[in-house]
């Protein structure tokens, strides 16, 4: 009798153990589904934010002209936007690390709503400059990167971050076209109303779909006593092995091309002799390339190559692009050069973001992404002045020669240096 009871008991325990294992498997599967859904939502949030951002970029010159702002004043307006984004990037990242990605994304979307609300009532130069102020906290793309970083393993990260290029391309194409159509057919302020409503919708999406804390519990670290505005805390991340070296490559590899792109509208008009509509087609072509390369090509490469190899490859291609730009004479030459240009930009941005977030503790990934997000605002801040001087004094070829020289130097540096990287490929 006791033997039968023991057997029954043993059978019951095995059955219960099997049920627990099955339940855990289902739980893990459900967790994967939830993580996949949140990553898709992050892509949607980034796409909407970038669409509205490019929409206002297309409308802003006409809005500035309507309030009596000349070209010099418009340059100051753009510089103001760049400085605010430059300063706000690391602060946004620190906020996300301390209070969660959801809270940071809500602030970003609400700031976007305030940005477009102030634009919609900008009937004077003072109000137009005031409308730039919320840009300090408008960082939806780094927020989406933070969600993806929290929800992916290090080996999956480069591929997942690379797919944000699809969002960027969609934002360029739809945003530029939408801004032009709405302002032409319905009035200069209509795109600002669309941007206002769109950011409110984005806020609701964040509140419904993004959890209070997407990061796994084991990755949390107590940070209550650290100052969110501390420059020392932000610079502390640069002391981790390999961070400063990779960040220097990230900043300088694409800087000359960044100056060229800032002057692109002027170059299209003066050097290529294009009309406004034709310049729009060229931007759409650039956007499609961005979608294809960063959304599809970069992800495939991360499956087969280490990040060190891709970092060196992107810098080498950048140097080749510089040579091509130095010899460029027609818009058709640019269309050919744009293919390796987009590849190098996309690969460098994705790989450096992936490397840098792996090099710091998981509790500091938001701050690191915020610092990375400050690279483009830095270019927009100093670019108009430096780019203007290069173009007026030395011509379009000067951008190419500078790009070639800088990236040859960086390529040699990467070959000789032993930057500590976590060499891993996607499985």
């Amino acid at each position: 009798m006791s033997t039968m009871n023991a057997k029954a008991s043993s059978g019951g325990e095995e059955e219960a153990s099997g049920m627990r294992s099955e339940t855990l498997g289902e739980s893990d599967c459900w967790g994967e589904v939830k993580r996949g859904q949140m990553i898709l939502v992050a892509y949607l949030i980034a796409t909407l934010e970038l669409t509205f951002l490019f929409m206002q970029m297309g409308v802003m010159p006409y809005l500035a002209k309507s309030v009596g702002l000349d070209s010099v004043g418009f340059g100051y307006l753009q510089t103001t936007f760049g400085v605010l984004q430059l300063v706000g990037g690391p602060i946004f990242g620190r906020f996300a690390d301390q209070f969660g990605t959801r809270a940071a994304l809500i602030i970003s979307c609400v700031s976007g709503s305030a940005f477009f609300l102030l634009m919609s009532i900008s009937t004077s130069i003072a109000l137009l400059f005031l409308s730039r102020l919320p840009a300090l906290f408008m960082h939806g793309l780094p927020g989406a990167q933070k969600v993806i970083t929290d929800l992916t393993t290090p080996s999956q990260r480069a591929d997942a971050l690379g797919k944000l290029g699809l969002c960027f391309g969609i934002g360029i194409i739809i945003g530029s076209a939408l801004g032009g159509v709405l302002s032409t057919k319905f009035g200069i302020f209509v795109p600002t109303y669309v941007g206002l409503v769109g950011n409110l919708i984005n806020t609701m999406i964040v509140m419904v779909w993004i959890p209070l804390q997407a990061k796994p519990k084991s990755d949390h670290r107590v940070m209550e006593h650290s100052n969110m505005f501390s420059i020392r805390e932000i610079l502390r991340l640069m002391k981790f092995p390999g961070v400063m070296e990779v960040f220097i490559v990230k900043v300088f590899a694409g800087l000359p091309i960044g100056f060229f792109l800032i002057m692109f509208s002027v170059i299209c008009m003066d050097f290529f002799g294009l009309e406004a509509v034709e310049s729009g087609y060229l931007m759409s072509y650039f956007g499609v390339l961005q979608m294809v390369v960063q959304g599809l090509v970069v992800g495939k490469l991360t499956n087969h190559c280490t990040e060190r190899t891709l970092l060196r490859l992107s810098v080498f291609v950048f140097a080749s692009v510089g040579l091509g730009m130095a010899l460029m004479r027609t818009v058709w030459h640019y269309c050919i050069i744009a293919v390796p240009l987009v590849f190098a930009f996309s690969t460098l941005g994705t790989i450096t973001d992936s490397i840098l977030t792996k090099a710091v503790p998981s509790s500091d990934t938001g701050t690191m992404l915020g610092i990375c997000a400050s690279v483009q605002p830095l270019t927009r801040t100093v670019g108009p002045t430096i780019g203007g001087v290069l173009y007026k004094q030395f011509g379009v070829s000067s951008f190419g020669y500078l790009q070639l020289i800088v990236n040859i130097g960086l390529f040699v540096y990467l070959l000789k240096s032993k930057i500590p990287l976590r060499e891993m490929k996607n499985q």
Side-chain angles (χ1 to χ4, degrees):
M1 187 77 174
S2 60
T3 305
M4 291 178 62
N5 287 339
K7 287 183 179 179
S9 175
S10 175
E13 286 177 4
E14 288 177 5
E15 186 179 349
S17 176
M19 290 177 65
R20 280 196 299 271
S21 299
E22 187 178 342
T23 303
L24 285 172
E26 290 177 358
S27 177
D28 289 343
C29 182
W30 176 242
E32 281 295 323
V33 171
K34 292 291 286 183
R35 280 194 291 272
Q37 288 176 346
M38 282 190 283
I39 289 173
L40 288 175
V41 170
Y43 290 144
L44 175 62
I45 292 166
T47 301
L48 290 174
E49 150 117 359
L50 290 165
T51 299
F52 303 137
L53 189 63
F54 282 107
M55 184 176 67
Q56 71 87 27
M57 282 182 181
V59 173
M60 184 52 63
Y62 303 98
L63 186 56
K65 188 177 180 180
S66 71
V67 298
L69 200 63
D70 59 15
S71 58
V72 176
F74 182 69
Y76 291 144
L77 187 71
Q78 296 294 81
T79 300
T80 301
F81 183 84
V83 169
L84 287 168
Q85 288 261 290
L86 175 65
V87 174
I91 295 173
F92 177 86
R94 290 277 296 159
F95 184 91
D97 282 333
Q98 294 194 31
F99 300 102
T101 311
R102 184 192 188 199
L105 277 172
I106 289 172
I107 286 181
S108 174
C109 295
V110 170
S111 297
S113 300
F115 178 84
F116 282 102
L117 176 62
L118 288 170
M119 272 185 67
S120 69
I121 59 172
S122 292
T123 53
S124 67
I125 294 175
L127 279 172
L128 196 59
F129 271 90
L130 184 64
S131 71
R132 306 293 93 181
L133 196 57
L136 185 68
F137 302 108
M138 287 169 54
H139 297 280
L141 184 59
Q145 289 176 319
K146 180 72 166 66
V147 173
I148 292 166
T149 300
D150 288 345
L151 295 173
T152 55
T153 62
S155 61
Q156 298 170 331
R157 191 166 300 167
D159 185 22
L161 289 173
K163 287 184 171 62
L164 280 169
L166 286 168
C167 308
F168 199 89
I170 292 170
I172 290 177
I173 296 168
I174 297 180
S176 302
L178 191 62
V181 170
L182 290 175
S183 60
T184 302
K185 291 193 173 183
F186 304 104
I188 195 73
F189 287 106
V190 171
T192 65
Y193 304 145
V194 173
L196 170 60
V197 174
N199 273 277
L200 290 174
I201 292 172
N202 231 0
T203 305
M204 289 187 284
I205 291 172
V206 173
M207 294 176 71
V208 172
W209 283 97
I210 303 298
L212 286 172
Q213 187 59 263
K215 190 178 296 185
K217 291 182 179 180
S218 59
D219 288 344
H220 293 320
R221 194 179 72 178
V222 178
M223 300 181 64
E224 287 83 353
H225 301 293
S226 55
N227 185 0
M228 189 172 67
F229 299 96
S230 172
I231 295 177
R232 181 182 298 177
E233 281 293 312
I234 292 170
L235 295 179
R236 171 182 61 85
L237 301 184
M238 292 296 168
K239 297 178 182 178
F240 284 94
V243 170
M244 180 61 79
E245 294 91 335
V246 173
F247 187 73
I248 287 173
V249 173
K250 182 180 182 68
V251 172
F252 287 102
L255 198 59
I257 292 292
F259 297 155
F260 170 82
L261 293 175
I262 283 173
M263 300 298 298
F264 190 66
S265 58
V266 177
I267 291 169
C268 281
M269 185 170 55
D270 295 344
F271 186 75
F272 293 140
L274 300 181
E275 298 293 333
V277 175
E278 294 168 327
S279 297
Y281 292 150
L282 201 57
M283 284 300 294
S284 297
Y285 168 69
F286 199 84
V288 171
L289 283 178
Q290 179 87 15
M291 289 172 61
V292 173
V293 172
Q294 193 166 345
L296 303 176
V297 177
V298 175
K300 297 291 183 183
L301 284 175
T302 58
N303 291 329
H304 301 94
C305 304
T306 63
E307 290 177 336
R308 186 187 300 275
T309 301
L310 291 176
L311 184 61
R312 289 172 177 171
L313 176 63
S314 62
V315 172
F316 178 78
V317 173
F318 256 143
S320 304
V321 167
L323 179 61
M325 287 185 63
L327 303 174
M328 179 176 66
R329 294 293 178 268
T330 69
V331 68
W332 297 110
H333 292 162
Y334 176 74
C335 288
I336 296 170
I337 294 168
V339 178
L341 169 60
V342 171
F343 170 80
F345 247 130
S346 302
T347 305
L348 182 77
T350 301
I351 294 304
T352 51
D353 284 351
S354 177
I355 291 171
L356 291 169
T357 53
K358 292 175 190 175
V360 300
S362 61
S363 55
D364 291 315
T365 53
T367 306
M368 192 71 253
L369 287 168
I371 294 171
C372 292
S374 297
V375 174
Q376 284 191 353
L378 174 65
T379 307
R380 286 200 300 266
T381 302
V382 302
T385 302
I386 299 175
V389 171
L390 285 173
Y391 180 60
K392 288 181 180 179
Q393 298 295 326
F394 306 103
V396 171
S397 62
S398 63
F399 296 104
Y401 286 121
L402 183 60
Q403 180 75 13
L404 176 63
I405 293 167
V406 169
N407 281 275
I408 286 177
L410 290 174
F411 185 68
V412 172
Y413 170 71
L414 286 174
L415 286 177
K416 291 187 173 182
S417 66
K418 295 181 179 180
I419 302 173
L421 301 179
R422 295 186 185 181
E423 295 288 0
M424 56 179 64
K425 297 176 280 188
N426 287 357
Q427 302 300 319

